[in-house]
Amino acid sequence: MKRIDTDQRWNLSIIGDTENAPGTITAKASETIPAKVPGSVYNDLITAGRMEDPYWRDNETEALELMKNDFEYRGFFNVDENELAGADEAILRFNGIDTIADISLNGEALGSVDNMHRVWEYPVRDMLKPVDNELTVVIHSPVRYIAKQFEEDPAILGTEDAMRGFPKIRKGHYMFGWDWGPRLPDAGIWKSVEVLAFKKARLNGVYIRQVFSDDLSKVKLLVVPGDGSEPFEPVIYVTVTGPEGEKLYDKADINEDLIINDPKLWWPNGLGEQPLYTVRVELADRDGEVLDSWEKRIGLRRMEMSTVKDEYGSEFAHVVNNVKFFAMGADYIPEDNILSRCTRERTRDLLKQCKAANFNCIRVWGGGLYPSDDFYDACDELGLVVWQDFMFACANYRLTRDFEENIMSELRDNIRRLRHHASLGLWCGNNEMEMFVDKGEWGAKNEIKSDYVKMYEYLFPRLLEEEDPDRFYWPASPSCGGGFDDPNSPDRGDVHYWDVWHGNKPFTEYRKFYFRYLSEFGFQSFPSIKTVEGFTEPGDRNVFSYVMEKHQRNASANGKIMNYMEQTFLYPNDFDTLIYASQLLQAEAIRYGVEHFRRNRGRCMGTVYWQLNDCWPVASWSSIDYFGRWKALHYYAKRFFAPFMISCEEEGLLTQTMNVNAEPFEVKRSIRLSVANESMCPRNGTVRWQLRNSDGTVIREENEAVSLSPLSAKWLDLKELPDAKLYENYVSYQLEENGTVVSQGTVLFCPPKHFKFADPCLKVKVTDGEIVVSASAYAKSVEIRNENDDLILSDNFFDLNAGERRVKIIKGEPVGLSVRSVYDIR
């Protein structure tokens, strides 16, 4: 099969009344502007100067109004006449149309589409001409469509953060608004359009299965050619190339035993390397002419989930190559509401930041989009195991015959596209629907419950038995395995825990639980002041201003941040300091959770925090903001996901009472250190801790040698500190390996707002390409910034026990450096 179209030229026009269009939209009805495919309406209008950026201030409102119109994409292309003449068939393939559209070619209707997650193909051989083929795609208003659907069937509901009727369209749900995203349901031809010609047959749905020996010393590749080679008997050849370019099989017959001895195994980040083999499958006729080919990179590994029963309930753990590992990562959402802005380079860079923070997994959330091949290629190379939700989230669905056929085609397309990837760890049916349907949320009556079970516990697993039988399937997140059996149980399956944040519980609440696998938990913060400046005017820069609240989609969340801030820090003296304090709150909240669960490794086997990234500039739960700036949380994640890590479970006022007017009592003051080793080799080190005054001087210190087996955690003995002064003393601790500190931290016995910090007199300089920070006293959560706040450093937001710290510059220029600590929150 060969692509034969050339010289695509596209334009866009609005179908509708734009005479009364809002001021930020200057495009007129029937006006033709240049368009780009792949692309989108918003992006084309912005590029043509007909629309302001919808992320600026409250432009979102007017951009949404624009989507009440229909749009026409008109494209022209040529085809290779010789290739077309020699083909038995030619198909026009749309790899993605967003979303409700009618298609015609050279004046003849081809069909209508209604799912942005699907591939759409049409036979067109006899309709094509050598030059100036005219392709028309009329995209209908997604806003009017869902409004009409909701009017006809108001019982189908979903999250109130999105527009009514959103479950009735197979379009990224988040585009209609979420509690972190705007209501900007862009439209367009968002993936490539191509004309493909072939003779006799083509490959469609090649599948590579791996059958390992028990000891993993050899693997047999089973190549399933798919369903496109009928009706004649083809010859199918397989070529396998090793990670170093060595040919293991060269045009071997598909029926030959393809056995690889001593395979180079693929491992998640931190556990080993990620070697990738290349498999090429060729479809030929009996004369040896190659008719079609399929070539992909695969990783050789055995990937499973363990759900065996144990003394606590049932474990839930990733198992790769017979090794159980502790999942460390975050939840991924689409990178933009304007999909044209998502590039291979941007996606790869984001995922590289995950590896830099010691992630070994990432969860693709079910209210967005199935990621691009670029996303999965990067995960394969970086060692990030992907938890892949199907695109169903926080909504009820009515399982009509048309809907069933539509979503099953959607799943089949994406399963076939992604199943060869080494990084694909599991498929999951949906986000949070078992939990919400079980509670009768959003009008989930008996009929909806019945449809739920049919979809996620019958149709989806049955399809996977056909299309990807070697991959683990989980019906929902959270779940205990289906059947509405206590789907958010702390003792089985995965959990979404939100009492810290939505429930206003203190950070220490995490320590009351021992979840088996925490796949969602989070805490919000504001993005960098430089990011805020990217969508505000100076007068907007107050967290309760109209524009700041437009860029905060979780109801009353700015007030929630301030409530937690009141419990933790002194009141910030300016807007920039408030942003800094909010990021520390977020980082400390997630640190409390992750370190607790890593200390209890074995019972808990995963912490995936909400969320990694943003789709527009906003206050949210992300650790990396829309413009790629690391928040404090991402630096904290690099430390609390470190393979060899020390943490401290302290007892003090935070764990006993925050009430300064409580009847006097004897406050327990103690520490208990723990070391975790999430690597494949034994680790030996030295643990040191010090009780210090606020100026950093040492009152008491101890050290202890530690030895940890691979993939383990170890508690050290409890240390009572009854003489420690609540408001003047703190504990610092370090883990050394081969004489080098590899992990460290500090703890207070009171809230930071009540601790008697001494002025650390922070200074910063650049020496030999490194940034050096010095302090004359204890400095907590030291942040280093340049004038653009776009540095990425080897460490930041760290604690400094007086003295100095050197950090490497990973990205950015050390121009206009400044430094601050918790002492400056006042």
Side-chain angles (χ1 to χ4, degrees):
M1 188 161 66
K2 185 175 182 180
R3 183 171 183 175
I4 64 170
D5 63 284
T6 62
D7 193 26
Q8 288 190 16
R9 296 96 66 200
W10 290 91
N11 56 54
L12 168 69
S13 59
I14 302 175
I15 304 171
D17 178 14
T18 59
E19 292 303 315
N20 299 311
T24 61
I25 315 294
T26 60
K28 301 302 179 184
S30 301
E31 175 189 9
T32 298
I33 64 171
K36 185 178 180 181
V37 172
S40 78
V41 169
Y42 283 155
N43 194 67
D44 288 333
L45 291 174
I46 292 169
T47 302
R50 298 295 193 272
M51 175 181 175
E52 294 182 10
D53 193 310
Y55 299 164
W56 172 251
R57 302 192 77 231
D58 62 347
N59 283 356
E60 170 202 352
T61 303
E62 297 180 353
L64 175 61
E65 188 70 17
L66 177 70
M67 279 298 143
K68 292 181 179 178
N69 294 291
D70 295 343
F71 306 90
E72 181 181 87
Y73 278 88
R74 191 177 296 270
F76 298 88
F77 63 91
N78 305 330
V79 296
D80 186 313
E81 194 170 3
N82 293 329
E83 291 289 349
L84 180 62
D88 293 320
E89 185 55 271
I91 58 170
L92 175 65
R93 174 188 286 169
F94 291 86
N95 289 301
I97 298 181
D98 182 13
T99 294
I100 309 297
D102 300 319
I103 303 166
S104 61
L105 175 64
N106 294 328
E108 185 174 339
L110 290 180
S112 299
V113 301
D114 58 358
N115 189 330
M116 78 176 294
H117 305 303
R118 285 181 60 180
V119 173
W120 301 90
E121 292 184 350
Y122 300 95
V124 294
R125 185 186 184 284
D126 296 335
M127 300 171 63
L128 293 170
K129 51 187 182 180
V131 297
D132 290 334
N133 293 277
E134 183 177 5
L135 181 59
T136 303
V137 180
V138 175
I139 297 179
H140 298 285
S141 164
V143 174
R144 293 204 321 270
Y145 180 86
I146 64 169
K148 184 174 184 293
Q149 292 292 318
F150 181 75
E151 182 181 347
E152 294 175 355
D153 191 4
I156 298 301
L157 300 171
T159 175
E160 293 79 6
D161 294 303
M163 298 172 69
R164 289 179 299 183
F166 81 89
K168 301 289 282 190
I169 186 172
R170 292 309 298 154
K171 177 179 172 71
H173 288 347
Y174 81 105
M175 301 172 89
F176 294 100
W178 219 260
D179 57 3
W180 38 259
R183 294 188 179 104
L184 290 172
D186 200 359
I189 305 172
W190 74 292
K191 291 188 177 181
S192 62
V193 181
E194 51 194 357
V195 179
L196 303 169
F198 60 91
K199 297 178 182 178
K200 300 179 184 177
R202 59 172 171 154
L203 292 170
N204 185 27
V206 174
Y207 183 34
I208 309 295
R209 301 185 69 176
Q210 303 177 23
V211 181
F212 279 91
S213 60
D214 290 341
D215 62 359
L216 307 180
S217 63
K218 65 179 180 179
V219 59
K220 180 178 180 179
L221 301 184
L222 301 177
V223 181
V224 182
D227 54 11
S229 58
E230 300 84 359
F232 83 115
E233 300 239 346
V235 178
I236 299 178
Y237 300 111
V238 181
T239 299
V240 182
T241 305
E244 305 301 323
E246 68 279 18
K247 281 274 188 355
L248 304 180
Y249 291 93
D250 190 5
K251 291 185 176 294
D253 187 276
I254 192 173
N255 297 311
E256 183 178 334
D257 283 344
L258 304 174
I259 295 174
I260 299 175
N261 292 308
D262 298 318
K264 297 176 181 176
L265 299 178
W266 185 95
W267 292 93
N269 180 40
L271 301 183
E273 300 300 317
Q274 294 81 43
L276 296 172
Y277 291 71
T278 300
V279 177
R280 180 177 177 84
V281 179
E282 293 178 320
L283 174 72
D285 62 18
R286 292 295 175 182
D287 296 326
E289 181 183 4
V290 176
L291 306 175
D292 198 4
S293 63
W294 178 96
E295 183 172 306
K296 301 292 181 182
R297 294 183 306 167
I298 66 170
L300 303 181
R301 86 289 181 275
R302 177 184 285 162
M303 187 86 75
E304 303 163 290
M305 293 295 292
S306 174
T307 59
V308 299
K309 292 183 178 180
D310 60 18
E311 60 185 304
Y312 308 110
S314 298
E315 74 172 359
F316 195 75
H318 293 280
V319 184
V320 61
N321 303 326
N322 301 335
V323 173
K324 292 179 188 175
F325 68 93
F326 189 101
M328 302 184 291
D331 295 283
Y332 168 89
I333 65 171
E335 293 166 48
D336 219 299
N337 267 69
I338 301 175
L339 298 180
S340 307
R341 295 177 175 177
C342 299
T343 64
R344 178 179 185 272
E345 293 73 24
R346 180 178 172 185
T347 295
R348 179 172 290 271
D349 184 68
L350 177 65
L351 294 170
K352 284 171 67 177
Q353 308 316 315
C354 296
K355 181 171 183 176
N358 295 308
F359 286 28
N360 58 28
C361 73
I362 190 166
R363 174 178 172 245
V364 177
W365 169 76
L369 307 167
Y370 298 95
S372 65
D373 296 313
D374 296 329
F375 175 96
Y376 268 93
D377 286 342
C379 289
D380 289 347
E381 295 168 15
L382 298 171
L384 300 174
V385 174
V386 181
W387 172 311
Q388 177 66 62
D389 283 2
F390 291 124
M391 291 301 114
F392 304 86
C394 300
N396 295 325
Y397 305 91
R398 194 178 299 285
L399 190 62
T400 64
R401 178 167 294 182
D402 287 345
F403 186 73
E404 177 183 338
E405 291 176 355
N406 196 359
I407 61 173
M408 295 301 276
S409 294
E410 168 192 323
L411 265 62
R412 184 175 288 105
D413 283 351
N414 286 285
I415 292 167
R416 289 186 173 189
R417 179 171 66 89
L418 299 175
R419 64 189 176 187
H420 69 277
H421 283 284
S423 56
L424 179 55
L426 66 90
W427 298 105
C428 178
N430 67 79
N431 174 75
E432 297 188 337
M433 286 317 303
E434 183 182 359
M435 176 175 68
F436 285 133
V437 169
D438 185 41
K439 295 177 181 177
E441 196 78 22
W442 303 311
K445 307 290 186 186
N446 289 339
E447 180 184 358
I448 296 299
K449 288 189 174 183
S450 174
D451 286 349
Y452 175 93
V453 172
K454 291 174 188 174
M455 284 174 60
Y456 305 111
E457 300 183 17
Y458 177 69
L459 291 174
F460 291 9
R462 185 178 176 187
L463 178 65
L464 284 165
E465 286 175 5
E466 300 172 3
E467 297 288 348
D468 198 12
D470 300 329
R471 199 92 51 186
F472 183 82
Y473 173 72
W474 195 239
S477 179
S479 181
C480 287
F484 305 114
D485 180 17
D486 195 9
N488 208 26
S489 168
D491 301 318
R492 297 172 293 150
D494 71 311
V495 166
H496 293 189
Y497 179 75
W498 284 102
D499 278 359
V500 176
W501 181 255
H502 289 308
N504 297 304
K505 295 291 181 67
F507 305 162
T508 51
E509 195 75 6
Y510 289 117
R511 296 180 181 176
K512 296 180 180 179
F513 299 96
Y514 301 89
F515 303 122
R516 311 314 303 269
Y517 190 114
L518 194 50
S519 51
E520 267 195 34
F521 66 115
F523 196 96
Q524 275 205 7
S525 70
F526 298 108
S528 159
I529 183 65
K530 290 298 181 181
T531 294
V532 172
E533 289 172 359
F535 66 84
T536 62
E537 294 177 344
D540 301 325
R541 291 165 199 161
N542 182 300
V543 296
F544 298 118
S545 74
Y546 173 75
V547 170
M548 286 297 293
E549 290 192 342
K550 286 292 287 184
H551 287 252
Q552 166 58 273
R553 307 315 284 245
N554 183 215
S556 303
N558 288 356
K560 191 184 295 288
I561 292 172
M562 298 307 295
N563 175 50
Y564 276 102
M565 194 171 297
E566 173 271 328
Q567 298 173 42
T568 309
F569 297 121
L570 295 175
Y571 194 82
N573 52 21
D574 59 45
F575 183 66
D576 185 30
T577 305
L578 187 151
I579 288 174
Y580 167 64
S582 80
Q583 292 196 13
L584 297 186
L585 283 172
Q586 177 190 37
E588 287 291 336
I590 304 306
R591 179 188 67 82
Y592 259 85
V594 173
E595 290 184 351
H596 166 70
F597 295 115
R598 286 197 69 183
R599 288 192 288 265
N600 290 280
R601 187 197 191 282
R603 187 170 180 179
C604 178
M605 287 300 290
T607 50
V608 179
Y609 66 77
W610 185 270
Q611 68 202 66
L612 171 63
N613 60 307
D614 288 324
C615 64
W616 75 316
V618 65
S620 79
W621 296 271
S622 70
S623 62
I624 299 178
D625 76 19
Y626 175 73
F627 292 112
R629 294 184 171 101
W630 284 30
K631 295 181 180 179
L633 173 56
H634 211 71
Y635 285 102
Y636 273 52
K638 184 177 181 179
R639 295 195 290 267
F640 60 57
F641 284 156
F644 199 29
M645 181 207 70
I646 188 171
S647 66
C648 180
E649 184 177 88
E650 85 290 348
E651 275 282 355
L653 289 172
L654 271 68
T655 59
Q656 294 164 71
T657 182
M658 298 277 283
N659 181 7
V660 298
N661 295 309
E663 182 175 342
F665 69 101
E666 185 64 31
V667 178
K668 294 179 182 178
R669 282 153 283 191
S670 67
I671 62 167
R672 193 178 185 196
L673 298 171
S674 175
V675 180
N677 174 18
E678 200 61 32
S679 67
M680 296 283 282
C681 58
R683 306 290 284 264
N684 299 309
T686 301
V687 169
R688 303 184 189 278
W689 66 268
Q690 305 84 30
L691 179 66
R692 297 177 183 260
N693 290 314
S694 61
D695 63 2
T697 56
V698 175
I699 301 169
R700 174 184 171 186
E701 60 184 326
E702 293 185 14
N703 63 78
E704 177 180 344
V706 292
S707 296
L708 272 80
S709 302
L711 306 167
S712 67
K714 177 182 289 188
W715 284 100
L716 276 62
D717 291 339
L718 178 73
K719 301 293 182 180
E720 301 280 0
L721 300 170
D723 297 328
K725 297 178 181 178
L726 287 174
Y727 305 106
E728 299 174 34
N729 296 159
Y730 72 99
V731 170
S732 59
Y733 49 90
Q734 305 86 33
L735 174 62
E736 294 181 2
E737 186 177 34
N738 299 321
T740 300
V741 175
V742 295
S743 179
Q744 60 186 312
T746 69
V747 292
L748 306 177
F749 298 108
C750 69
K753 66 179 180 179
H754 294 155
F755 188 76
K756 296 178 181 179
F757 286 101
D759 184 350
C761 300
L762 290 172
K763 296 178 181 179
V764 60
K765 62 182 179 180
V766 179
T767 303
D768 298 328
E770 293 183 325
I771 296 176
V772 182
V773 179
S774 60
S776 61
Y778 172 44
K780 186 167 181 59
S781 304
V782 175
E783 181 193 17
I784 306 166
R785 293 190 293 177
N786 64 358
E787 60 186 15
N788 293 321
D789 199 10
D790 60 359
L791 287 173
I792 296 179
L793 305 174
S794 59
D795 199 8
N796 207 351
F797 297 92
F798 51 78
D799 298 344
L800 186 56
N801 303 305
E804 70 175 33
R805 174 79 66 86
R806 304 175 73 96
V807 297
K808 292 181 171 60
I809 301 170
I810 308 301
K811 181 180 178 182
E813 297 298 326
V815 177
L817 291 178
S818 62
V819 64
R820 58 184 169 181
S821 71
V822 171
Y823 176 81
D824 298 297
I825 304 175
R826 60 184 60 237

